[in-house]
Amino acid sequence: MKTIYFIRHAQSEANLKDILASRQDFPLTEKGLADAQAIAAEFAAIGKLDRIVCSPLTRAQQTAQPIAEAFGLEVETDERITEQELGVFAGMTYAELDERPDYMHDRTRRWTWVPEGGGESYEMIARRLEPFFADLADFEGGHILFVTHAVTMRMIKATLEQTLPEYPREIAKNGEIWKTQFTRLGETHTVESIFLGDAKNAVSRA
């Protein structure tokens, strides 16, 4: 059994500007950078990490770096935990999306919806996560943090809790960390939130 953590990146420029980032490579804001540093310090005081594995996108890497430094670790990259590809909708503001009837506005109906322009459905994200979870049991280290994104975390939670094709309506906050005791793919896991957004509001338990 491994103690596994998943964190959504801290506030990005896309978050600040109400942009649907998808895989476009927005950096963190000044607030996001400060929050990442604060979360790293808080986590280092109460937790233990053997490895840190990150999405390749800049906002995730910038969130991972201070945590890695706090634990004396290198940041590893895994493309399987990157964000949803949203095709033609990537980079649009939410105000622009409101005017697009071809965008799936109902969050409960995105399992098989494939965005135009090479996008991914939620089902497709879940499928790319399957080999990731299958490999996870063989990952070295008993305490591992994965730095990822809002929609991907939604599919991660549903996979761990074995609710698919149902998935959480709500998304993780920026900087929110989820924890589980991972055994293997196909078993039902309990996922708990141990940090809620800004580090100053973090719950001190890991």
Side-chain angles (χ1 to χ4, degrees), residues 15-72:
N15 298 141
L16 183 64
K17 297 171 183 175
D18 283 332
I19 292 171
L20 194 63
S22 182
R23 294 189 190 170
Q24 293 191 1
D25 212 11
F26 290 89
L28 296 185
T29 61
E30 289 187 11
K31 179 183 185 305
L33 291 167
D35 284 348
Q37 292 283 351
I39 290 168
E42 179 79 7
F43 199 21
I46 63 172
K48 177 182 178 181
L49 279 185
D50 301 311
R51 294 178 69 177
I52 181 165
V53 183
C54 187
S55 155
L57 296 177
T58 297
R59 57 193 183 272
Q61 295 279 333
Q62 289 179 317
T63 302
Q65 194 58 49
I67 302 173
E69 290 172 0
F71 286 92

Side-chain angles (χ1 to χ4, degrees), residues 5 7 9 51-65 67-68 74-83 132 139 144-149:
Y5 303 93
I7 182 173
H9 62 81
R51 294 178 69 177
I52 181 165
V53 183
C54 187
S55 155
L57 296 177
T58 297
R59 57 193 183 272
Q61 295 279 333
Q62 289 179 317
T63 302
Q65 194 58 49
I67 302 173
E74 296 293 325
V75 176
E76 304 171 52
T77 299
D78 194 323
E79 293 186 358
R80 295 174 296 184
I81 58 171
T82 194
E83 185 55 301
F132 163 76
F139 272 41
I144 309 173
L145 174 67
F146 296 93
V147 187
T148 182
H149 306 268

Side-chain angles (χ1 to χ4, degrees), residues 8 107-108 122 150-151 153-155 157 167-173 176 178:
R8 183 187 175 192
R107 289 182 179 178
T108 68
Y122 280 15
V151 175
M153 280 184 72
R154 181 182 277 158
M155 294 301 101
K157 187 173 186 180
Y167 49 83
R169 180 178 175 84
E170 298 302 319
I171 61 174
K173 298 175 178 67
E176 184 170 350
W178 294 345

Side-chain angles (χ1 to χ4, degrees), residues 48-142:
K48 177 182 178 181
L49 279 185
D50 301 311
R51 294 178 69 177
I52 181 165
V53 183
C54 187
S55 155
L57 296 177
T58 297
R59 57 193 183 272
Q61 295 279 333
Q62 289 179 317
T63 302
Q65 194 58 49
I67 302 173
E69 290 172 0
F71 286 92
L73 300 171
E74 296 293 325
V75 176
E76 304 171 52
T77 299
D78 194 323
E79 293 186 358
R80 295 174 296 184
I81 58 171
T82 194
E83 185 55 301
Q84 180 187 23
E85 174 54 66
L86 280 160
V88 298
F89 303 106
M92 289 188 181
T93 65
Y94 286 96
E96 290 171 329
L97 288 172
D98 286 342
E99 305 301 319
R100 294 291 297 255
D102 52 342
Y103 180 74
M104 180 54 71
H105 296 278
D106 186 344
R107 289 182 179 178
T108 68
R109 299 178 59 195
R110 295 178 182 167
W111 179 245
T112 58
W113 173 67
V114 180
E116 294 178 32
E120 286 181 296
S121 67
Y122 280 15
E123 182 178 19
M124 293 164 71
I125 300 169
R127 297 297 169 253
R128 72 166 149 90
L129 286 170
E130 285 179 357
F132 163 76
F133 279 113
D135 291 347
L136 191 49
D138 295 325
F139 272 41
E140 293 184 6

